[in-house]
Amino acid sequence: MVRFMKNKYIIKSNSFTFLNDKIKELSKDYKEVETFSLVDDSIDDVIESMQHFGLFSENKCIVVKNVKYFAGNFAYEEECNKLKSALSNLDEETMVIFINDEVLKSKKIVKDLIASGVTFIDLTGGNEEEALEYMINYFKNLNITIEKNALQEIYKNSSNNIDITINEVLRLSNLSSNITTDMVNNYTHKNDEDVTFSFSNATIAKDFDSAFKYLDIMLKNGAEPINIVALLANSFTNIYMVKSAASDGLSDEEIAKLFGYTNPKRVGVLKRNGKIYTLDQLKDIIISLSELDLKIKSGYNQIYAIKEFLLNL
């Protein structure tokens, strides 16, 4: 029976907080930690490091971010073969952690690595319940208790972004280490920008009860229907562009550079928002929004037109 050493990992994560905690946990016994990104570094650079002992200690941990080989349609056969060969000869004193925000377990390279003994860790939370459970346990370790409904409200208002949610809870914990739903309602508020953001996210997620609620608030606050259409068109167009680029195998950092996003985190949010749509569906939605824009400009009942679009989404 072959015995696999626990020194090779693939981590799928959409949270910098959980990812950094997991890296610290895995590498705590390693005095030297070397980090690469396959956006800026080549796989040859990584392999060269894997084949040499640490400079200042007998063991070392190598963290490799943005491993695009694990997602997308491209096979990257040459690079993957190099990687598999290097891992098969990895010294027991060296740990390697591969990281990507998307990992397709159906891809050949991922299946091959797992079969060879690489440990796969999914930190994304398969659904909202798992994400909430992760966060509740995270806060327990910080001696912060929070009601599940309170956490769910913050998570929803944070566009299902774990890191934003954690930051908001930590802010509230300065008031009390026991956070209740009433506390969330009393100490968090929505300005016009928050409402606009929530409307866009609710529409994209097809949470129509929330979308209509935020739409009514926006209209009551004087938002122009033509600007609401432009907001949705911009949101769905960005999702389409990111989803298309991701399907071609580009990493989050590569996509951010391509489209001029200042923070790669935005790419992760757009990818998650676009999971319920196909590229063809997104094309149809963008065309529908163009037609909606023409309707509004041609004298059609503006509010009715927007609500009609939502109902047909």
Side-chain angles (χ1 to χ4, degrees):
M1 179 178 179
V2 178
R3 180 176 177 270
F4 294 126
M5 297 296 295
K6 288 276 189 176
N7 65 334
K8 294 171 283 189
Y9 296 88
I10 294 173
I11 300 179
K12 176 182 177 181
S13 176
N14 56 8
S15 165
F16 285 94
T17 304
F18 289 159
L19 176 61
N20 289 336
D21 283 355
K22 179 57 71 173
I23 291 173
K24 288 178 184 177
E25 175 191 327
L26 295 174
S27 64
K28 65 181 185 298
D29 296 325
Y30 292 78
K31 294 180 180 179
E32 184 178 344
V33 178
E34 191 173 5
T35 302
F36 294 90
S37 168
L38 291 188
V39 173
D40 302 312
D41 305 301
S42 71
I43 192 61
D44 292 323
D45 296 327
V46 175
I47 292 172
E48 183 179 358
S49 179
M50 289 166 58
Q51 293 172 340
H52 291 83
F53 292 107
L55 294 175
F56 308 107
S57 61
E58 293 183 355
N59 60 24
K60 70 175 176 178
C61 175
I62 301 170
V63 178
V64 188
K65 299 179 178 179
N66 303 305
V67 187
K68 57 188 176 183
Y69 314 148
F70 299 156
N73 297 324
F74 294 151
Y76 298 102
E77 287 187 20
E78 181 180 350
E79 294 90 340
C80 290
N81 287 334
K82 287 182 180 180
L83 180 59
K84 286 190 289 185
S85 176
L87 284 174
S88 67
N89 296 301
L90 185 68
D91 187 270
E92 292 181 0
E93 298 299 320
T94 300
M95 173 182 283
V96 184
I97 302 173
F98 299 104
I99 299 165
N100 206 45
D101 69 314
E102 187 63 46
V103 176
L104 301 177
K105 295 179 75 174
S106 59
K107 284 206 73 170
K108 185 177 186 302
I109 178 60
V110 178
K111 289 192 290 187
D112 288 348
L113 292 182
I114 292 175
S116 70
V118 176
T119 302
F120 174 67
I121 301 174
D122 187 348
L123 297 178
T124 59
N127 51 48
E128 181 178 299
E129 282 297 316
E130 287 186 17
L132 293 174
E133 193 63 32
Y134 279 171
M135 287 187 281
I136 288 172
N137 290 329
Y138 176 82
F139 294 128
K140 279 182 180 178
N141 292 330
L142 298 177
N143 295 318
I144 299 171
T145 59
I146 181 168
E147 292 178 359
K148 186 174 181 180
N149 288 341
L151 180 59
Q152 194 167 25
E153 181 68 17
I154 296 173
Y155 185 56
K156 184 176 181 180
N157 290 339
S158 301
S159 303
N160 292 2
N161 184 296
I162 291 172
D163 295 307
I164 296 174
T165 302
I166 288 174
N167 288 335
E168 179 66 12
V169 172
L170 292 177
R171 183 182 70 82
L172 290 174
S173 70
N174 291 323
L175 302 172
S176 172
S177 60
N178 182 24
I179 300 172
T180 64
T181 304
D182 287 341
M183 184 178 173
V184 170
N185 292 333
N186 290 334
Y187 289 96
T188 60
H189 64 278
K190 288 187 174 295
N191 56 33
D192 288 345
E193 185 177 348
D194 292 330
V195 173
T196 301
F197 191 63
S198 296
F199 167 71
S200 175
N201 283 317
T203 301
I204 291 165
K206 298 189 177 183
D207 178 2
F208 297 118
D209 288 341
S210 296
F212 279 110
K213 179 183 75 174
Y214 292 128
L215 175 62
D216 288 340
I217 294 172
M218 291 168 65
L219 293 170
K220 184 179 178 180
N221 291 345
E224 292 291 335
I226 196 69
N227 292 335
I228 294 174
V229 175
L231 165 72
L232 292 176
N234 180 66
S235 297
F236 279 106
T237 299
N238 275 282
I239 290 173
Y240 174 82
M241 292 191 306
V242 167
K243 192 177 186 73
S244 178
S247 70
D248 288 334
L250 274 67
S251 71
D252 283 12
E253 290 189 8
E254 289 173 320
I255 294 172
K257 288 180 181 178
L258 178 64
F259 297 129
Y261 302 147
T262 56
N263 192 335
K265 285 185 179 180
R266 184 182 179 191
V267 176
V269 172
L270 289 168
K271 286 168 70 174
R272 290 195 296 276
N273 287 346
K275 279 187 176 180
I276 63 173
Y277 299 97
T278 65
L279 285 172
D280 286 339
Q281 287 172 330
L282 288 168
K283 283 182 185 177
D284 290 340
I285 290 169
I286 293 168
I287 291 171
S288 295
L289 283 165
S290 177
E291 293 170 349
L292 175 58
D293 181 71
L294 290 174
K295 271 187 179 181
I296 289 177
K297 290 177 179 176
S298 62
Y300 200 86
N301 185 303
Q302 297 179 339
I303 297 174
Y304 177 82
I306 292 174
K307 291 186 175 181
E308 184 181 46
F309 166 79
L310 293 176
L311 289 171
N312 292 328
L313 187 62

